[in-house]
Amino acid sequence: MANLTLNSKVQLNSGYDIPRLGFGVWQTPTDICEEVVKHAFKSGYKHVDSAAAYRNEAPCGKAILSSALNREDIFFTSKVPARALSYENTLAQVEKTLKETGLTYIDLMLLHAPYGGRDARKGAWKALVEAHNEGKICSIGVSNYGVHHLDEMEEYIQELEKEGKGKGGVISVNQLEIHPWLPRTDIVEWCQKRGIVVEAYSPLVRGERMEEKVLQPLTKKYGKTAAQVLLRWSLQKGLVPLPKSVTPSRIEENANIFDFELTPEEMKTLEMDEYSPVCWDPTIAKLEQ
Ligand SMILES: NC(=O)c1ccc[n+]([C@@H]2O[C@H](COP(=O)([O-])OP(=O)(O)OC[C@H]3O[C@@H](n4cnc5c(N)ncnc54)[C@H](OP(=O)(O)O)[C@@H]3O)[C@@H](O)[C@H]2O)c1
């Protein structure tokens, strides 16, 4: 753990590497998004998490293409809108994201949430697999999938695989809201057992719990902010945190988390027995929803 750095990566089931720290752009306004992402690159981030629903794929693409970094050293994620999952819509969304961003490939494309029923989810996944097999997307995955959605996926991956080798696809990532007040141990275990990388969204609890007492001894001991302690917790849980900020000093602060390490006892003090989402919670949606 001690040798984790801002350049650390982890290998996905697809065989591609993903940087251990990401940079989220949900609610980053379109008109400032390019500048914000450029500042993130200057601060050392190499991994940007966007979505069609965020309406800022285009400025992310501009920041990526105008960066001094090589394209292959940047990892870009987008997501298929949750309310429109289907085979056709997913194929169309991949083309739209490529066009909006100006990129020739997308590093990771996720289904934003498991809505629409089994056929919608299976069709959307089949489309992602096809786009991957055509080289348009390097890795594919899901977001906000609970264990029951993932169990169902395993079934239809096997069904699709019967149509031909490689037609079922490989789940590389599940992206979920995770922080000490929402550890989601069941879903994380399901994924980690299968080598699926778990990305943690809202890792800063959207800034709502920075004053929590449990964080104070840790901020004091390490001379770090509450945000930095939360991100360190996330990294040490084996997650890929995706902090968001539009504030230059916070963008830098949130990347400055590689010079300290929480002890196993300190990690335990952050094991809260709570289920307190601060965002939406599609992981509990019924399969027919
Ligand atoms: N898949 C999904 O369904 C889903 C859902 C939600 C989020 N996400 C992804 O995860 C990313 C992060 O999640 P999030 O945006 O919900 O929440 P977050 O990263 O937990 O928190 C962002 C909030 O914290 C503030 N903040 C950032 N750094 C701070 C610091 N060092 N000290 C104090 N406050 C700080 C930000 O303010 P300023 O910006 O004003 O600095 C913003 O208000 C998103 O941008 C998105 O990419 C995915």
Side-chain angles (χ1 to χ4, degrees):
M1 194 68 62
N3 50 16
L4 265 187
T5 73
L6 192 46
N7 291 321
S8 294
K9 294 178 179 181
V10 60
Q11 197 176 52
L12 298 170
N13 282 338
S14 62
Y16 289 90
D17 290 338
I18 185 170
R20 285 298 311 276
L21 180 68
F23 182 71
V25 294
W26 179 40
Q27 293 183 329
T28 297
T30 313
D31 58 334
I32 60 162
C33 188
E34 184 181 346
E35 279 316 303
V36 165
V37 173
K38 279 184 177 167
H39 191 74
F41 290 150
K42 275 192 206 128
S43 310
Y45 298 80
K46 295 190 177 68
H47 168 183
V48 182
D49 183 80
S50 183
Y54 302 171
R55 297 179 187 280
N56 56 22
E57 293 173 295
C60 288
K62 277 193 182 151
I64 292 168
L65 293 173
S66 63
S67 162
L69 294 165
N70 293 326
R71 171 67 186 95
E72 59 272 24
D73 293 329
I74 298 175
F75 192 98
F76 176 72
T77 302
S78 192
K79 310 183 191 91
V80 181
R83 293 283 171 194
L85 287 193
S86 72
Y87 175 77
E88 292 76 17
N89 288 351
T90 302
L91 284 185
Q93 184 58 55
V94 171
E95 295 308 323
K96 200 164 170 223
T97 296
L98 287 169
K99 197 165 170 224
E100 287 270 311
T101 55
L103 301 176
T104 53
Y105 65 90
I106 306 157
D107 293 278
L108 174 67
M109 195 86 178
L110 306 176
L111 303 180
H112 210 141
Y115 291 139
R118 178 186 168 94
D119 289 348
R121 284 188 293 274
K122 183 178 171 186
W125 181 254
K126 183 176 153 74
L128 280 190
V129 177
E130 285 180 14
H132 165 74
N133 289 342
E134 285 168 16
K136 294 172 180 169
I137 311 172
C138 299
S139 306
I140 57 179
V142 293
S143 179
N144 296 300
Y145 271 50
V147 168
H148 54 308
H149 303 114
L150 293 162
D151 283 339
E152 179 204 68
M153 264 199 105
E154 277 196 327
E155 273 171 36
Y156 58 67
I157 285 176
Q158 279 174 12
E159 287 166 19
L160 290 169
E161 200 58 33
K162 284 186 197 141
E163 294 174 17
K165 199 170 159 41
K167 301 250 180 191
V170 175
I171 313 170
S172 282
V173 163
N174 189 9
Q175 184 182 119
L176 305 157
E177 178 182 339
I178 302 185
H179 43 70
W181 297 275
L182 187 67
R184 298 202 194 274
T185 316
D186 55 340
I187 311 178
V188 172
E189 275 178 9
W190 193 102
C191 292
Q192 289 182 342
K193 251 190 213 159
R194 292 159 177 83
I196 297 168
V197 167
V198 180
E199 295 182 336
Y201 76 68
S202 307
L204 304 173
V205 208
R206 313 207 72 211
E208 290 177 16
R209 298 187 87 144
M210 297 303 188
E211 304 303 323
E212 287 277 348
K213 264 202 181 131
V214 70
L215 298 173
Q216 288 169 11
L218 304 174
T219 57
K220 220 173 178 180
K221 173 175 170 188
Y222 293 107
K224 289 285 175 181
T225 64
Q228 290 169 323
V229 168
L230 288 173
L231 293 173
R232 194 66 215 185
W233 176 88
S234 200
L235 284 178
Q236 290 185 216
K237 277 280 179 189
L239 310 172
V240 171
L242 306 170
K244 172 264 177 186
S245 179
V246 296
T247 315
S249 61
R250 287 174 169 177
I251 293 173
E252 293 158 28
E253 175 187 326
N254 297 341
N256 184 9
I257 53 172
F258 295 97
D259 58 354
F260 75 112
E261 185 174 350
L262 301 171
T263 65
E265 294 72 31
E266 288 164 349
M267 287 294 285
K268 274 209 186 100
T269 66
L270 294 176
E271 297 288 329
M272 249 63 75
D273 190 20
E274 265 192 55
Y275 189 98
S276 306
V278 287
C279 209
W280 61 339
D281 191 5
T283 66
I284 54 171
K286 297 204 171 83
L287 288 178
E288 59 277 12
Q289 219 168 318

